[in-house]
PDB file of all heavy atoms in Angstrom:
ATOM      1  N   LYS A   1     -35.652  24.021 -56.316  1.00 96.00           N
ATOM      2  CA  LYS A   1     -34.870  23.783 -57.532  1.00 96.00           C
ATOM      3  C   LYS A   1     -35.743  23.428 -58.731  1.00 96.00           C
ATOM      4  O   LYS A   1     -35.222  23.174 -59.818  1.00 96.00           O
ATOM      5  CB  LYS A   1     -33.853  22.669 -57.288  1.00 96.00           C
ATOM      6  CG  LYS A   1     -32.760  23.052 -56.297  1.00 96.00           C
ATOM      7  CD  LYS A   1     -31.786  21.900 -56.094  1.00 96.00           C
ATOM      8  CE  LYS A   1     -30.680  22.278 -55.109  1.00 96.00           C
ATOM      9  NZ  LYS A   1     -29.763  21.140 -54.860  1.00 96.00           N
ATOM     10  N   TYR A   2     -37.071  23.408 -58.542  1.00 97.00           N
ATOM     11  CA  TYR A   2     -37.940  22.986 -59.639  1.00 97.00           C
ATOM     12  C   TYR A   2     -37.761  23.825 -60.907  1.00 97.00           C
ATOM     13  O   TYR A   2     -37.643  23.253 -62.007  1.00 97.00           O
ATOM     14  CB  TYR A   2     -39.410  22.975 -59.208  1.00 97.00           C
ATOM     15  CG  TYR A   2     -40.342  22.633 -60.340  1.00 97.00           C
ATOM     16  CD1 TYR A   2     -40.286  21.378 -60.953  1.00 97.00           C
ATOM     17  CD2 TYR A   2     -41.259  23.554 -60.821  1.00 97.00           C
ATOM     18  CE1 TYR A   2     -41.124  21.055 -62.006  1.00 97.00           C
ATOM     19  CE2 TYR A   2     -42.108  23.241 -61.871  1.00 97.00           C
ATOM     20  CZ  TYR A   2     -42.037  21.995 -62.469  1.00 97.00           C
ATOM     21  OH  TYR A   2     -42.861  21.687 -63.519  1.00 97.00           O
ATOM     22  N   PRO A   3     -37.732  25.168 -60.838  1.00 95.00           N
ATOM     23  CA  PRO A   3     -37.538  25.933 -62.079  1.00 95.00           C
ATOM     24  C   PRO A   3     -36.247  25.571 -62.806  1.00 95.00           C
ATOM     25  O   PRO A   3     -36.204  25.526 -64.047  1.00 95.00           O
ATOM     26  CB  PRO A   3     -37.519  27.389 -61.599  1.00 95.00           C
ATOM     27  CG  PRO A   3     -38.331  27.372 -60.342  1.00 95.00           C
ATOM     28  CD  PRO A   3     -37.980  26.060 -59.681  1.00 95.00           C
ATOM     29  N   GLU A   4     -35.198  25.277 -62.049  1.00 95.00           N
ATOM     30  CA  GLU A   4     -33.922  24.876 -62.655  1.00 95.00           C
ATOM     31  C   GLU A   4     -34.053  23.512 -63.326  1.00 95.00           C
ATOM     32  O   GLU A   4     -33.567  23.295 -64.446  1.00 95.00           O
ATOM     33  CB  GLU A   4     -32.858  24.826 -61.554  1.00 95.00           C
ATOM     34  CG  GLU A   4     -31.487  24.355 -61.982  1.00 95.00           C
ATOM     35  CD  GLU A   4     -30.525  24.251 -60.812  1.00 95.00           C
ATOM     36  OE1 GLU A   4     -30.708  24.987 -59.812  1.00 95.00           O
ATOM     37  OE2 GLU A   4     -29.604  23.427 -60.887  1.00 95.00           O
ATOM     38  N   LYS A   5     -34.727  22.590 -62.653  1.00 96.00           N
ATOM     39  CA  LYS A   5     -34.968  21.255 -63.215  1.00 96.00           C
ATOM     40  C   LYS A   5     -35.810  21.357 -64.481  1.00 96.00           C
ATOM     41  O   LYS A   5     -35.548  20.673 -65.485  1.00 96.00           O
ATOM     42  CB  LYS A   5     -35.683  20.403 -62.161  1.00 96.00           C
ATOM     43  CG  LYS A   5     -36.056  19.010 -62.595  1.00 96.00           C
ATOM     44  CD  LYS A   5     -36.770  18.296 -61.449  1.00 96.00           C
ATOM     45  CE  LYS A   5     -37.274  16.922 -61.860  1.00 96.00           C
ATOM     46  NZ  LYS A   5     -38.014  16.254 -60.763  1.00 96.00           N
ATOM     47  N   PHE A   6     -36.814  22.208 -64.450  1.00 97.00           N
ATOM     48  CA  PHE A   6     -37.691  22.440 -65.597  1.00 97.00           C
ATOM     49  C   PHE A   6     -36.889  22.982 -66.783  1.00 97.00           C
ATOM     50  O   PHE A   6     -37.004  22.494 -67.911  1.00 97.00           O
ATOM     51  CB  PHE A   6     -38.783  23.422 -65.182  1.00 97.00           C
ATOM     52  CG  PHE A   6     -39.702  23.854 -66.283  1.00 97.00           C
ATOM     53  CD1 PHE A   6     -40.835  23.125 -66.582  1.00 97.00           C
ATOM     54  CD2 PHE A   6     -39.443  25.003 -67.011  1.00 97.00           C
ATOM     55  CE1 PHE A   6     -41.696  23.528 -67.587  1.00 97.00           C
ATOM     56  CE2 PHE A   6     -40.291  25.418 -68.014  1.00 97.00           C
ATOM     57  CZ  PHE A   6     -41.419  24.672 -68.314  1.00 97.00           C
ATOM     58  N   ALA A   7     -36.062  23.986 -66.538  1.00 96.00           N
ATOM     59  CA  ALA A   7     -35.282  24.613 -67.614  1.00 96.00           C
ATOM     60  C   ALA A   7     -34.322  23.630 -68.264  1.00 96.00           C
ATOM     61  O   ALA A   7     -34.041  23.729 -69.462  1.00 96.00           O
ATOM     62  CB  ALA A   7     -34.523  25.818 -67.067  1.00 96.00           C
ATOM     63  N   ALA A   8     -33.850  22.665 -67.498  1.00 96.00           N
ATOM     64  CA  ALA A   8     -32.885  21.696 -68.018  1.00 96.00           C
ATOM     65  C   ALA A   8     -33.521  20.723 -69.004  1.00 96.00           C
ATOM     66  O   ALA A   8     -32.807  20.039 -69.742  1.00 96.00           O
ATOM     67  CB  ALA A   8     -32.246  20.929 -66.865  1.00 96.00           C
ATOM     68  N   ALA A   9     -34.851  20.650 -69.019  1.00 96.00           N
ATOM     69  CA  ALA A   9     -35.552  19.726 -69.928  1.00 96.00           C
ATOM     70  C   ALA A   9     -36.413  20.489 -70.925  1.00 96.00           C
ATOM     71  O   ALA A   9     -37.482  20.031 -71.322  1.00 96.00           O
ATOM     72  CB  ALA A   9     -36.400  18.752 -69.128  1.00 96.00           C
ATOM     73  N   LYS A  10     -35.950  21.648 -71.351  1.00 94.00           N
ATOM     74  CA  LYS A  10     -36.729  22.508 -72.224  1.00 94.00           C
ATOM     75  C   LYS A  10     -37.105  21.824 -73.533  1.00 94.00           C
ATOM     76  O   LYS A  10     -38.163  22.095 -74.109  1.00 94.00           O
ATOM     77  CB  LYS A  10     -35.955  23.794 -72.514  1.00 94.00           C
ATOM     78  CG  LYS A  10     -36.824  24.975 -72.909  1.00 94.00           C
ATOM     79  CD  LYS A  10     -37.762  25.395 -71.773  1.00 94.00           C
ATOM     80  CE  LYS A  10     -38.556  26.632 -72.139  1.00 94.00           C
ATOM     81  NZ  LYS A  10     -39.499  27.011 -71.075  1.00 94.00           N
ATOM     82  N   ASP A  11     -36.276  20.937 -74.029  1.00 96.00           N
ATOM     83  CA  ASP A  11     -36.598  20.231 -75.268  1.00 96.00           C
ATOM     84  C   ASP A  11     -37.876  19.402 -75.106  1.00 96.00           C
ATOM     85  O   ASP A  11     -38.636  19.235 -76.056  1.00 96.00           O
ATOM     86  CB  ASP A  11     -35.447  19.320 -75.682  1.00 96.00           C
ATOM     87  CG  ASP A  11     -34.288  20.083 -76.284  1.00 96.00           C
ATOM     88  OD1 ASP A  11     -34.454  21.293 -76.545  1.00 96.00           O
ATOM     89  OD2 ASP A  11     -33.225  19.474 -76.488  1.00 96.00           O
ATOM     90  N   MET A  12     -38.081  18.877 -73.919  1.00 98.00           N
ATOM     91  CA  MET A  12     -39.290  18.080 -73.682  1.00 98.00           C
ATOM     92  C   MET A  12     -40.505  18.974 -73.485  1.00 98.00           C
ATOM     93  O   MET A  12     -41.591  18.694 -74.000  1.00 98.00           O
ATOM     94  CB  MET A  12     -39.111  17.192 -72.451  1.00 98.00           C
ATOM     95  CG  MET A  12     -40.327  16.309 -72.166  1.00 98.00           C
ATOM     96  SD  MET A  12     -40.131  15.261 -70.705  1.00 98.00           S
ATOM     97  CE  MET A  12     -40.520  16.425 -69.384  1.00 98.00           C
ATOM     98  N   TYR A  13     -40.338  20.077 -72.756  1.00 97.00           N
ATOM     99  CA  TYR A  13     -41.470  20.934 -72.413  1.00 97.00           C
ATOM    100  C   TYR A  13     -41.880  21.867 -73.548  1.00 97.00           C
ATOM    101  O   TYR A  13     -43.051  22.218 -73.663  1.00 97.00           O
ATOM    102  CB  TYR A  13     -41.140  21.766 -71.172  1.00 97.00           C
ATOM    103  CG  TYR A  13     -41.055  20.952 -69.911  1.00 97.00           C
ATOM    104  CD1 TYR A  13     -39.828  20.669 -69.316  1.00 97.00           C
ATOM    105  CD2 TYR A  13     -42.205  20.466 -69.302  1.00 97.00           C
ATOM    106  CE1 TYR A  13     -39.753  19.926 -68.149  1.00 97.00           C
ATOM    107  CE2 TYR A  13     -42.136  19.714 -68.135  1.00 97.00           C
ATOM    108  CZ  TYR A  13     -40.905  19.458 -67.568  1.00 97.00           C
ATOM    109  OH  TYR A  13     -40.833  18.714 -66.422  1.00 97.00           O
ATOM    110  N   GLY A  14     -40.945  22.287 -74.380  1.00 96.00           N
ATOM    111  CA  GLY A  14     -41.251  23.217 -75.458  1.00 96.00           C
ATOM    112  C   GLY A  14     -41.110  24.670 -75.026  1.00 96.00           C
ATOM    113  O   GLY A  14     -41.090  24.995 -73.837  1.00 96.00           O
ATOM    114  N   ASP A  15     -41.013  25.554 -75.995  1.00 96.00           N
ATOM    115  CA  ASP A  15     -40.736  26.965 -75.732  1.00 96.00           C
ATOM    116  C   ASP A  15     -41.895  27.704 -75.072  1.00 96.00           C
ATOM    117  O   ASP A  15     -41.699  28.749 -74.446  1.00 96.00           O
ATOM    118  CB  ASP A  15     -40.373  27.678 -77.040  1.00 96.00           C
ATOM    119  CG  ASP A  15     -39.049  27.191 -77.619  1.00 96.00           C
ATOM    120  OD1 ASP A  15     -38.215  26.702 -76.829  1.00 96.00           O
ATOM    121  OD2 ASP A  15     -38.874  27.296 -78.847  1.00 96.00           O
ATOM    122  N   LYS A  16     -43.127  27.198 -75.220  1.00 97.00           N
ATOM    123  CA  LYS A  16     -44.280  27.896 -74.656  1.00 97.00           C
ATOM    124  C   LYS A  16     -44.520  27.553 -73.187  1.00 97.00           C
ATOM    125  O   LYS A  16     -45.294  28.239 -72.508  1.00 97.00           O
ATOM    126  CB  LYS A  16     -45.542  27.562 -75.455  1.00 97.00           C
ATOM    127  CG  LYS A  16     -45.516  28.060 -76.893  1.00 97.00           C
ATOM    128  CD  LYS A  16     -46.759  27.597 -77.647  1.00 97.00           C
ATOM    129  CE  LYS A  16     -46.718  26.100 -77.924  1.00 97.00           C
ATOM    130  NZ  LYS A  16     -47.882  25.633 -78.727  1.00 97.00           N
ATOM    131  N   ALA A  17     -43.897  26.512 -72.701  1.00 98.00           N
ATOM    132  CA  ALA A  17     -44.145  26.034 -71.349  1.00 98.00           C
ATOM    133  C   ALA A  17     -43.583  26.983 -70.302  1.00 98.00           C
ATOM    134  O   ALA A  17     -42.601  27.690 -70.543  1.00 98.00           O
ATOM    135  CB  ALA A  17     -43.537  24.641 -71.173  1.00 98.00           C
ATOM    136  N   VAL A  18     -44.217  26.996 -69.138  1.00 97.00           N
ATOM    137  CA  VAL A  18     -43.765  27.810 -68.017  1.00 97.00           C
ATOM    138  C   VAL A  18     -43.822  26.973 -66.748  1.00 97.00           C
ATOM    139  O   VAL A  18     -44.498  25.954 -66.683  1.00 97.00           O
ATOM    140  CB  VAL A  18     -44.616  29.081 -67.844  1.00 97.00           C
ATOM    141  CG1 VAL A  18     -44.439  30.022 -69.023  1.00 97.00           C
ATOM    142  CG2 VAL A  18     -46.096  28.739 -67.657  1.00 97.00           C
ATOM    143  N   ALA A  19     -43.099  27.449 -65.716  1.00 96.00           N
ATOM    144  CA  ALA A  19     -43.056  26.718 -64.452  1.00 96.00           C
ATOM    145  C   ALA A  19     -43.048  27.684 -63.289  1.00 96.00           C
ATOM    146  O   ALA A  19     -42.496  28.785 -63.381  1.00 96.00           O
ATOM    147  CB  ALA A  19     -41.825  25.818 -64.396  1.00 96.00           C
ATOM    148  N   GLY A  20     -43.647  27.283 -62.186  1.00 96.00           N
ATOM    149  CA  GLY A  20     -43.667  28.095 -60.980  1.00 96.00           C
ATOM    150  C   GLY A  20     -44.131  27.267 -59.806  1.00 96.00           C
ATOM    151  O   GLY A  20     -43.943  26.046 -59.784  1.00 96.00           O
ATOM    152  N   PHE A  21     -44.758  27.914 -58.836  1.00 96.00           N
ATOM    153  CA  PHE A  21     -45.138  27.244 -57.594  1.00 96.00           C
ATOM    154  C   PHE A  21     -46.607  27.492 -57.253  1.00 96.00           C
ATOM    155  O   PHE A  21     -47.212  28.460 -57.700  1.00 96.00           O
ATOM    156  CB  PHE A  21     -44.271  27.761 -56.436  1.00 96.00           C
ATOM    157  CG  PHE A  21     -42.806  27.505 -56.615  1.00 96.00           C
ATOM    158  CD1 PHE A  21     -41.945  28.545 -56.923  1.00 96.00           C
ATOM    159  CD2 PHE A  21     -42.280  26.230 -56.486  1.00 96.00           C
ATOM    160  CE1 PHE A  21     -40.589  28.323 -57.091  1.00 96.00           C
ATOM    161  CE2 PHE A  21     -40.926  25.993 -56.661  1.00 96.00           C
ATOM    162  CZ  PHE A  21     -40.076  27.040 -56.963  1.00 96.00           C
ATOM    163  N   ILE A  22     -47.163  26.574 -56.446  1.00 96.00           N
ATOM    164  CA  ILE A  22     -48.499  26.729 -55.891  1.00 96.00           C
ATOM    165  C   ILE A  22     -48.444  26.338 -54.414  1.00 96.00           C
ATOM    166  O   ILE A  22     -47.746  25.364 -54.087  1.00 96.00           O
ATOM    167  CB  ILE A  22     -49.528  25.872 -56.672  1.00 96.00           C
ATOM    168  CG1 ILE A  22     -50.959  26.294 -56.337  1.00 96.00           C
ATOM    169  CG2 ILE A  22     -49.327  24.382 -56.441  1.00 96.00           C
ATOM    170  CD1 ILE A  22     -52.002  25.701 -57.275  1.00 96.00           C
ATOM    171  N   PRO A  23     -49.078  27.078 -53.497  1.00 96.00           N
ATOM    172  CA  PRO A  23     -49.832  28.299 -53.703  1.00 96.00           C
ATOM    173  C   PRO A  23     -49.005  29.383 -54.393  1.00 96.00           C
ATOM    174  O   PRO A  23     -47.803  29.490 -54.186  1.00 96.00           O
ATOM    175  CB  PRO A  23     -50.222  28.718 -52.286  1.00 96.00           C
ATOM    176  CG  PRO A  23     -50.149  27.472 -51.487  1.00 96.00           C
ATOM    177  CD  PRO A  23     -49.053  26.678 -52.086  1.00 96.00           C
ATOM    178  N   LEU A  24     -49.693  30.207 -55.181  1.00 94.00           N
ATOM    179  CA  LEU A  24     -48.994  31.143 -56.053  1.00 94.00           C
ATOM    180  C   LEU A  24     -48.290  32.249 -55.288  1.00 94.00           C
ATOM    181  O   LEU A  24     -47.247  32.740 -55.715  1.00 94.00           O
ATOM    182  CB  LEU A  24     -49.982  31.752 -57.060  1.00 94.00           C
ATOM    183  CG  LEU A  24     -50.709  30.761 -57.963  1.00 94.00           C
ATOM    184  CD1 LEU A  24     -51.683  31.492 -58.877  1.00 94.00           C
ATOM    185  CD2 LEU A  24     -49.721  29.951 -58.792  1.00 94.00           C
ATOM    186  N   ARG A  25     -48.850  32.690 -54.184  1.00 90.00           N
ATOM    187  CA  ARG A  25     -48.241  33.759 -53.374  1.00 90.00           C
ATOM    188  C   ARG A  25     -47.917  34.986 -54.219  1.00 90.00           C
ATOM    189  O   ARG A  25     -46.847  35.583 -54.112  1.00 90.00           O
ATOM    190  CB  ARG A  25     -46.976  33.247 -52.665  1.00 90.00           C
ATOM    191  CG  ARG A  25     -47.185  31.995 -51.824  1.00 90.00           C
ATOM    192  CD  ARG A  25     -48.134  32.265 -50.645  1.00 90.00           C
ATOM    193  NE  ARG A  25     -48.528  31.061 -49.959  1.00 90.00           N
ATOM    194  CZ  ARG A  25     -47.907  30.557 -48.877  1.00 90.00           C
ATOM    195  NH1 ARG A  25     -46.850  31.142 -48.388  1.00 90.00           N
ATOM    196  NH2 ARG A  25     -48.372  29.463 -48.296  1.00 90.00           N
ATOM    197  N   GLY A  26     -48.823  35.327 -55.134  1.00 84.00           N
ATOM    198  CA  GLY A  26     -48.636  36.523 -55.949  1.00 84.00           C
ATOM    199  C   GLY A  26     -47.787  36.343 -57.182  1.00 84.00           C
ATOM    200  O   GLY A  26     -47.609  37.281 -57.953  1.00 84.00           O
ATOM    201  N   GLU A  27     -47.270  35.127 -57.417  1.00 75.00           N
ATOM    202  CA  GLU A  27     -46.418  34.892 -58.575  1.00 75.00           C
ATOM    203  C   GLU A  27     -47.273  34.659 -59.822  1.00 75.00           C
ATOM    204  O   GLU A  27     -48.117  33.770 -59.851  1.00 75.00           O
ATOM    205  CB  GLU A  27     -45.520  33.678 -58.337  1.00 75.00           C
ATOM    206  CG  GLU A  27     -44.603  33.840 -57.129  1.00 75.00           C
ATOM    207  CD  GLU A  27     -43.934  32.528 -56.741  1.00 75.00           C
ATOM    208  OE1 GLU A  27     -43.961  31.579 -57.555  1.00 75.00           O
ATOM    209  OE2 GLU A  27     -43.405  32.453 -55.628  1.00 75.00           O
ATOM    210  N   ALA A  28     -47.089  35.483 -60.852  1.00 74.00           N
ATOM    211  CA  ALA A  28     -47.876  35.375 -62.077  1.00 74.00           C
ATOM    212  C   ALA A  28     -47.250  34.337 -63.007  1.00 74.00           C
ATOM    213  O   ALA A  28     -46.536  34.663 -63.946  1.00 74.00           O
ATOM    214  CB  ALA A  28     -47.963  36.730 -62.768  1.00 74.00           C
ATOM    215  N   VAL A  29     -47.503  33.071 -62.731  1.00 89.00           N
ATOM    216  CA  VAL A  29     -46.927  31.995 -63.539  1.00 89.00           C
ATOM    217  C   VAL A  29     -47.541  32.001 -64.937  1.00 89.00           C
ATOM    218  O   VAL A  29     -46.840  31.874 -65.939  1.00 89.00           O
ATOM    219  CB  VAL A  29     -47.164  30.629 -62.862  1.00 89.00           C
ATOM    220  CG1 VAL A  29     -46.610  29.500 -63.713  1.00 89.00           C
ATOM    221  CG2 VAL A  29     -46.539  30.622 -61.483  1.00 89.00           C
ATOM    222  N   THR A  30     -48.840  32.144 -64.996  1.00 95.00           N
ATOM    223  CA  THR A  30     -49.566  32.239 -66.256  1.00 95.00           C
ATOM    224  C   THR A  30     -50.815  33.070 -65.999  1.00 95.00           C
ATOM    225  O   THR A  30     -51.231  33.215 -64.842  1.00 95.00           O
ATOM    226  CB  THR A  30     -49.925  30.848 -66.810  1.00 95.00           C
ATOM    227  OG1 THR A  30     -50.425  30.972 -68.139  1.00 95.00           O
ATOM    228  CG2 THR A  30     -50.938  30.126 -65.950  1.00 95.00           C
ATOM    229  N   ALA A  31     -51.391  33.629 -67.022  1.00 95.00           N
ATOM    230  CA  ALA A  31     -52.502  34.564 -66.856  1.00 95.00           C
ATOM    231  C   ALA A  31     -53.731  33.878 -66.255  1.00 95.00           C
ATOM    232  O   ALA A  31     -54.027  32.722 -66.575  1.00 95.00           O
ATOM    233  CB  ALA A  31     -52.862  35.182 -68.197  1.00 95.00           C
ATOM    234  N   PRO A  32     -54.475  34.582 -65.407  1.00 96.00           N
ATOM    235  CA  PRO A  32     -55.743  34.033 -64.921  1.00 96.00           C
ATOM    236  C   PRO A  32     -56.661  33.702 -66.094  1.00 96.00           C
ATOM    237  O   PRO A  32     -56.676  34.393 -67.110  1.00 96.00           O
ATOM    238  CB  PRO A  32     -56.318  35.180 -64.080  1.00 96.00           C
ATOM    239  CG  PRO A  32     -55.130  35.986 -63.666  1.00 96.00           C
ATOM    240  CD  PRO A  32     -54.170  35.901 -64.819  1.00 96.00           C
ATOM    241  N   GLY A  33     -57.407  32.600 -65.952  1.00 97.00           N
ATOM    242  CA  GLY A  33     -58.346  32.201 -66.995  1.00 97.00           C
ATOM    243  C   GLY A  33     -57.710  31.698 -68.263  1.00 97.00           C
ATOM    244  O   GLY A  33     -58.334  31.731 -69.326  1.00 97.00           O
ATOM    245  N   SER A  34     -56.475  31.181 -68.188  1.00 97.00           N
ATOM    246  CA  SER A  34     -55.758  30.758 -69.397  1.00 97.00           C
ATOM    247  C   SER A  34     -55.558  29.249 -69.518  1.00 97.00           C
ATOM    248  O   SER A  34     -55.012  28.776 -70.508  1.00 97.00           O
ATOM    249  CB  SER A  34     -54.382  31.430 -69.447  1.00 97.00           C
ATOM    250  OG  SER A  34     -53.558  30.991 -68.379  1.00 97.00           O
TER     251      SER A  34
END
């Protein structure tokens, strides 16, 4: 439920923020080297 919890607090995180999981298991949460 973490992505849902994250989305519910978007005012705190800001529009540029992203959320996902680790280990990544192929999920491109943010670009490598960023």
Side-chain angles (χ1 to χ4, degrees):
K1 293 180 180 177
Y2 176 64
E4 177 184 333
K5 178 181 175 182
F6 175 88
K10 204 64 176 178
D11 284 350
M12 181 180 81
Y13 290 106
D15 293 335
K16 295 176 289 183
V18 294
F21 299 107
I22 194 168
L24 301 178
R25 306 295 170 93
E27 300 168 15
V29 178
T30 190
S34 65

